[in-house]
Amino acid sequence: MLPELEDLETCFQHDYNFETERFTIPSGNAHLELMLKIGAMIKDHESTDTLLVVYYGGHARIDEARQSTWCASRSPDSPWLQ
């Protein structure tokens, strides 16, 4: 795990008493799985007193269409999302 992710999670949990959850980019249907995950989180926690923070800790590159792509690792066959 990334040290900065551990530090951020510790800060959220211990300093602010926030709940945290990690989501790793899956190798299959990555975009759909992320949308389902975010949708479920919103559905389960939507309230005027809820703060939803999404932190991305990974890699990025520009694809052939010049679009930003999030990647789980630097490997060419890494799971990715546009």
Side-chain angles (χ1 to χ4, degrees):
M1 180 190 325
L2 301 170
E4 67 269 16
L5 181 57
E6 286 182 1
D7 290 346
L8 182 61
E9 186 172 47
T10 298
C11 176
F12 280 153
Q13 290 175 346
H14 298 281
D15 296 342
Y16 296 101
N17 203 30
F18 287 172
E19 293 179 27
T20 62
E21 186 173 342
R22 297 181 198 171
F23 176 80
T24 302
I25 298 174
S27 54
N29 295 318
H31 184 79
L32 175 61
E33 293 297 328
L34 176 63
M35 293 300 103
L36 290 171
K37 183 67 172 175
I38 297 292
M41 289 177 74
I42 291 170
K43 181 182 175 192
D44 293 344
H45 302 287
E46 186 174 22
S47 172
T48 57
D49 65 348
T50 298
L51 173 65
L52 176 64
V53 177
V54 177
Y55 172 82
Y56 172 71
H59 302 275
R61 62 178 172 238
I62 302 295
D63 67 13
E64 301 82 29
R66 306 286 302 147
Q67 298 296 313
S68 178
T69 303
W70 293 354
C71 310
S73 72
R74 292 182 186 199
S75 171
D77 61 344
S78 169
W80 58 274
L81 293 164
Q82 271 191 329

